[in-house]
Amino acid sequence: MTSEPMSAAVPEKTAALPLIISAVLLVVVVVASFRMGRFPVTSHDVFAVVWAKISGGTASVEPVVQAVILNVRLPRVIAGILVGGALSVAGATYQGMFRNPLVSPDILGVSAGAGVGAVLGIFLGWSVLAIQGAAFLTGLAAVAGVYGLAMTMRHQERTLVLVLTGVAVATLLEAALSVMQLLADPYTQLPTITYWLMGSLNAASPEDVMVAGPAILLGLIPLWILRWRMNLLCLGDEEAQALGIQTTVFRAIFIVSATLMTAAAVAISGAHGWRGLGWVGLIIPHIARLLVGPDFTRLLPISLMLGAAFIVAMDSLARSMGVTEIPLGILTSVVGVPFFLWLLTSMRRVW
Amino acid sequence: MTLLKVENLDFGYGRRRVGSGIGFDLAGGDVMCLLGPNGSGKTTLFKTLLGLLPCQGGRIVLDDEPVALWSRRRFARAMAYVPQTSPNSFSFSALQTVVMGRSAHIDLFSRPTTHDFAMAKGAMRALGIEALGSRPVPELSGGERQLVMIARALAQEPRILVMDEPTANLDFGNRVKVLGQIRKLADQGIAVILSTHDPDHAFQIANQVALLHEGRQVACGAPASVITAESLRLVYGIDVSIVAVSGKATQHWVCLPDSRLSSVQESL
């Protein structure tokens, strides 16, 4: 109704700054993380060793330091990046798709399902890798069950039914978890179970990274390719369909992708529900949305990097703050919650 | 030339039948007003027209072709939907929202191009809302939001616009503005189907009216032949007089309720 020139609204240009900030933050956090821990390592050592690894040369760094960097800290840093990135991206996906800011990646029962698998594995005395495999598979199975169950219900409010089914099934799985905790040997198994459910990266090994990495990437690729279409699902089914979108197909793709990422992340970190690491998938997308708005093409990379940076930072603190390692899940809550509440009080909009 | 043919359409949810026997033809430039009380099946009929609900009987023919087997994408290029806006939506900017209307024209794995943004801006310019570009939609007024939804539908480059109560929740000024825009779009050759609660709107902008009562099409045709004292009594259960009024520049038929609503009626 006025003829004033349009203000800068082309997304590509305004997205650059938050993107750069997030990337720089991630790099700084990662380098710092290599330095933190019992064994002293300098930034120079980190760069030299990583560069030598990439270029195929040799670094003039003590073998012990090289071993610490490559075998101890590198898997942990990569695991942190994978877990933080995966949970945040999955959280952003679920929140958009279900049009609900309270949704976290475990809304469809991934982490409760993974918990059952992991605890069963601990209960039966399996190896660490087998426990993680069991967690991954039961996590996927839980979501598949929820999705299948919801699809059999002929109901108008499909999304709502899906979420409610997820909550119901997760509750049932939680009950199973409690039973197993009750039956577990209180001196040998129970501490392991409790520790697993709190979430931690202290068991992260190169094998974990090799297994979880591809699964997380496999989930990320469809989300990345279809990132603009994700915006349309935020409108709700009918509007999206009227705009020419096959919502059923896209929703299934997004759920499978986000679930794959979450299950893999939960399997190696034990991120369980809102109590532990899963919380990251709830808050990081909100922080990212605050920075760049709801456009998924911008939200996806920012969530990925902020989530990765947050978990890597928290994990560094977890292993260097006390005499014994502090469970990561506790730290993410203690540091993350006050920050998030502060954000909420200063935010103009939640969406 | 006939663009859209609706033949003996039955519609409803699942096994529940909401309405039946709907039939009308629509050509480019037509404005068809769907009138009917709450619960008469207007929204269900719209959802069926848009392919969001399957037809329970009869058929919808677009360009002499039944649309039943059309892909969503192809259908969306022909027919666009302007829903009633929900206030609690994501903070997408107005331009981001409008450009979503391009999705039926954008490759599956692509994002909107400069051309798509140009189309979106063009649609906004046509409605006089280009200045809203970067504003978050939830912060807009009801009228602005309605115009954004119309712009999004226009960016879709449809030949038919389906609008669900486009004037609901708008103040008097915005109602007139939105109706004016609808008329303008029709004059450019777009066929418009809209639902409304106000029969006066039909007199103002429509050249066809379909009157819906308990899922049945009571009458369909030119506004003056459909909107009569008898038909409104049947459908709404009230007595009205249809009278002609003249303003400074326009002359309209309006529906005047016969029942005395207030004891303090000003004498003319």
Side-chain angles (χ1 to χ4, degrees):
Chain A
M1 297 170 200
T2 55
S3 58
E4 67 187 70
M6 203 165 73
S7 40
V10 179
E12 264 63 36
K13 284 169 189 160
T14 46
L17 191 62
L19 206 62
I20 292 166
I21 292 173
S22 310
V24 168
L25 185 69
L26 180 58
V27 170
V28 167
V29 165
V30 163
V31 172
S33 179
F34 271 109
R35 297 183 49 176
M36 288 169 89
R38 293 287 162 68
F39 202 91
V41 172
T42 64
S43 301
H44 174 264
D45 294 342
V46 175
F47 284 118
V49 169
V50 171
W51 176 246
K53 190 80 185 163
I54 294 169
S55 62
T58 47
S60 55
V61 176
E62 279 180 69
V64 188
V65 177
Q66 285 206 35
V68 167
I69 291 174
L70 291 178
N71 301 336
V72 181
R73 295 200 187 151
L74 184 66
R76 226 171 142 149
V77 166
I78 295 181
I81 292 174
L82 288 174
V83 169
L87 290 176
S88 306
V89 168
T93 306
Y94 278 129
Q95 284 175 7
M97 200 163 47
F98 294 130
R99 308 166 73 199
N100 189 332
L102 285 176
V103 164
S104 70
D106 55 323
I107 189 74
L108 297 182
V110 190
S111 63
V116 168
V119 170
L120 195 68
I122 296 169
F123 199 62
L124 299 174
W126 292 355
S127 70
V128 173
L129 211 61
I131 290 170
Q132 290 175 345
F136 179 64
L137 292 178
T138 48
L140 291 183
V143 176
V146 166
Y147 196 77
L149 205 59
M151 283 301 117
T152 59
M153 301 176 194
R154 310 291 308 161
H155 204 284
Q156 284 296 314
E157 297 282 346
R158 291 208 131 163
T159 316
L160 188 62
V161 165
L162 189 60
V163 171
L164 286 177
T165 310
V167 171
V169 169
T171 307
L172 206 61
L173 292 171
E174 295 281 349
L177 266 180
S178 301
V179 169
M180 282 192 282
Q181 278 171 285
L182 212 60
L183 295 178
D185 184 324
Y187 296 104
T188 57
Q189 294 171 333
L190 196 55
T192 318
I193 292 173
T194 310
Y195 206 76
W196 194 89
L197 291 178
M198 279 182 202
S200 168
L201 291 176
N202 71 337
S205 65
E207 290 79 38
D208 293 353
V209 171
M210 298 306 270
V211 176
I216 288 172
L217 269 182
L218 199 63
L220 184 62
I221 290 167
L223 293 179
W224 178 256
I225 292 174
L226 298 170
R227 61 197 189 281
W228 185 71
R229 301 266 151 186
M230 180 67 214
N231 288 341
L232 296 151
L233 282 192
C234 301
L235 301 175
D237 272 9
E238 288 182 350
E239 276 189 62
Q241 283 172 15
L243 290 171
I245 299 293
Q246 278 289 357
T247 48
T248 330
V249 177
F250 280 94
R251 175 155 297 120
I253 293 173
F254 289 136
I255 287 177
V256 168
S257 304
T259 302
L260 197 61
M261 295 178 82
T262 313
V266 172
I268 59 170
S269 69
H272 187 68
W274 283 33
R275 276 172 284 157
L277 286 189
W279 210 69
V280 173
L282 179 74
I283 54 163
I284 296 292
H286 279 285
I287 295 170
R289 214 176 278 116
L290 198 68
L291 288 173
V292 294
D295 180 3
F296 202 68
T297 61
R298 295 193 258 170
L299 198 58
L300 179 69
I302 302 280
S303 295
L304 185 77
M305 289 190 290
L306 287 184
F310 184 66
I311 290 292
V312 171
M314 288 305 113
D315 185 52
S316 310
L317 287 180
R319 65 171 188 256
S320 57
M321 262 174 67
V323 180
T324 56
E325 188 167 325
I326 302 166
L328 184 54
I330 294 177
L331 208 59
T332 52
S333 304
V334 169
V335 176
V337 172
F339 177 64
F340 185 60
L341 290 177
W342 170 76
L343 262 183
L344 270 181
T345 56
S346 56
M347 265 184 331
R348 208 155 44 97
R349 55 188 156 88
V350 184
W351 264 133
Chain B
M1 201 199 99
T2 304
L3 188 58
L4 177 76
K5 256 175 130 58
V6 175
E7 298 172 357
N8 204 21
L9 194 69
D10 301 335
F11 57 94
Y13 291 97
R15 280 190 211 95
R16 195 166 69 86
R17 176 69 52 89
V18 172
S20 57
I22 305 297
F24 57 84
D25 287 1
L26 213 63
D30 279 351
V31 175
M32 157 127 180
C33 202
L34 197 61
L35 275 177
N38 291 329
S40 59
K42 293 193 299 284
T43 304
T44 319
L45 174 57
F46 273 3
K47 285 182 182 173
T48 312
L49 281 180
L50 286 158
L52 303 176
L53 290 172
C55 298
Q56 295 191 337
R59 57 181 199 157
I60 300 164
V61 181
L62 220 161
D63 293 334
D64 299 320
E65 242 186 278
V67 297
L69 294 174
W70 282 26
S71 72
R72 284 235 170 276
R73 202 176 160 81
R74 183 178 172 198
F75 190 73
R77 291 180 187 200
M79 194 187 281
Y81 176 44
V82 181
Q84 290 192 43
T85 51
S86 51
N88 56 337
S89 49
F90 281 86
S91 296
F92 286 110
S93 74
L95 182 62
Q96 282 171 344
T97 304
V98 174
V99 91
M100 288 185 198
R102 298 294 300 160
S103 63
H105 297 272
I106 294 172
D107 286 341
L108 187 59
F109 301 123
S110 307
R111 288 186 296 152
T113 59
T114 327
H115 170 69
D116 293 310
F117 276 103
M119 292 296 294
K121 286 176 191 168
M124 294 176 83
R125 198 176 311 119
L127 297 169
I129 53 164
E130 46 193 321
L132 300 182
S134 56
R135 298 256 312 273
V137 172
E139 290 174 18
L140 301 178
S141 73
E144 289 170 333
R145 224 180 292 152
Q146 189 64 51
L147 288 171
V148 167
M149 300 316 272
I150 298 176
R152 189 182 74 187
L154 289 182
Q156 217 167 317
E157 295 179 87
R159 284 168 296 151
I160 304 166
L161 264 184
V162 175
M163 312 172 103
D164 195 3
E165 293 183 25
T167 54
N169 305 318
L170 295 189
D171 64 48
F172 180 69
N174 278 315
R175 217 180 301 160
V176 174
K177 271 184 208 156
V178 166
L179 287 177
Q181 291 293 356
I182 293 171
R183 189 60 252 172
K184 219 167 92 185
L185 293 173
D187 292 339
Q188 289 159 11
I190 294 177
V192 182
I193 309 173
L194 72 148
S195 62
T196 173
H197 282 301
D198 193 338
D200 291 348
H201 293 167
F203 280 126
Q204 285 166 31
I205 60 165
N207 62 339
Q208 269 197 72
V209 177
L211 196 59
L212 225 58
H213 181 52
E214 290 170 0
R216 300 219 158 250
Q217 185 174 309
V218 178
C220 182
S225 67
V226 172
I227 304 172
T228 60
E230 296 75 47
S231 68
L232 293 186
R233 188 183 312 121
L234 170 72
V235 169
Y236 292 103
I238 51 160
D239 289 313
V240 296
S241 305
I242 316 269
V243 295
V245 293
S246 306
K248 263 188 189 153
T250 56
Q251 196 178 17
H252 280 302
W253 293 97
V254 294
C255 302
L256 200 61
D258 290 337
S259 56
R260 195 176 251 269
L261 300 176
S262 158
S263 54
V264 276
Q265 203 144 24
E266 276 181 58
S267 55
L268 292 171

